């Protein structure tokens, strides 16, 4: 298993320059679908339910202050297995067509982010964790009923 930085490095290498917010959402969806398809996480880093959607704080600490991310030297995409890369490739192929705001809006409509935030208003800061279990359960239920329009 790699780190969130390795996943970010792979995404930037495959998708090219993208906004920091979009990178965060693609990392989140890569983790979520890996939990479903591969039955294992891509990385151990915690995902938090921030106001603009899921955020991996360790990635945020690296890209803080940047709008567009052109490279990710903090990670090594080569550490990812072929299966991990295939999962990320499927996520990129599906979700990269959406804007960062569309991805944020999508996460706001899904159970893992909603459950982690509880009753916290949309514009209020939160550091609540989005658990792997909630991600696996929600996206697994989408897969089992064939409701994977985005993937």
């Amino acid at each position: 298993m790699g780190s969130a930085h390795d996943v970010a490095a792979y995404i930037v290498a495959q998708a090219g320059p993208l906004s920091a917010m979009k990178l965060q959402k693609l990392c989140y969806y890569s983790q979520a679908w890996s939990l479903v398809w591969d039955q294992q996480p891509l990385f151990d880093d915690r995902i938090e339910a921030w106001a603009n959607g899921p955020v991996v704080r360790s990635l945020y600490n690296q890209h803080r202050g940047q709008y567009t991310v052109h490279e990710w030297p903090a990670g090594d995409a080569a550490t990812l297995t072929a299966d991990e890369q295939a999962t990320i490739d499927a996520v990129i192929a599906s979700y990269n067509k959406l804007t960062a705001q569309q991805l944020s809006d999508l996460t706001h409509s899904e159970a893992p982010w909603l459950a982690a935030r509880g009753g916290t208003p949309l514009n209020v800061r939160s550091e609540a964790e989005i658990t792997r279990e909630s991600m696996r359960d929600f996206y697994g239920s989408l897969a089992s009923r064939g409701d994977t329009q985005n993937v």
Side-chain angles (χ1 to χ4, degrees), residues 2 7 17-18 37 43 58 65 81-82 91 99 102 118 126:
V7 173
L18 65 168
W37 296 331
F43 52 84
S58 62
T81 68
V91 167
T99 67
Q102 289 171 320
S126 171

Side-chain angles (χ1 to χ4, degrees), residues 87-141:
T87 294
I88 299 166
D89 288 340
V91 167
I92 292 170
S94 181
Y95 290 95
N96 198 36
K97 63 188 171 210
L98 301 174
T99 67
Q101 188 59 56
Q102 289 171 320
L103 288 169
S104 180
D105 293 344
L106 183 59
T107 63
H108 287 183
S109 71
E110 296 173 335
W113 183 84
L114 291 167
R117 299 237 352 140
T120 306
L122 178 61
N123 60 346
V124 174
R125 184 179 173 151
S126 171
E127 296 177 355
E129 182 176 8
I130 299 175
T131 67
R132 289 182 192 165
E133 293 76 20
S134 70
M135 293 165 67
R136 184 186 61 242
D137 292 348
F138 177 75
Y139 297 101
S141 73

Side-chain angles (χ1 to χ4, degrees), residues 66-80:
Q66 295 178 38
Y67 177 79
T68 303
V69 177
H70 296 275
E71 61 182 349
W72 202 267
D76 181 2
T79 65
L80 301 171

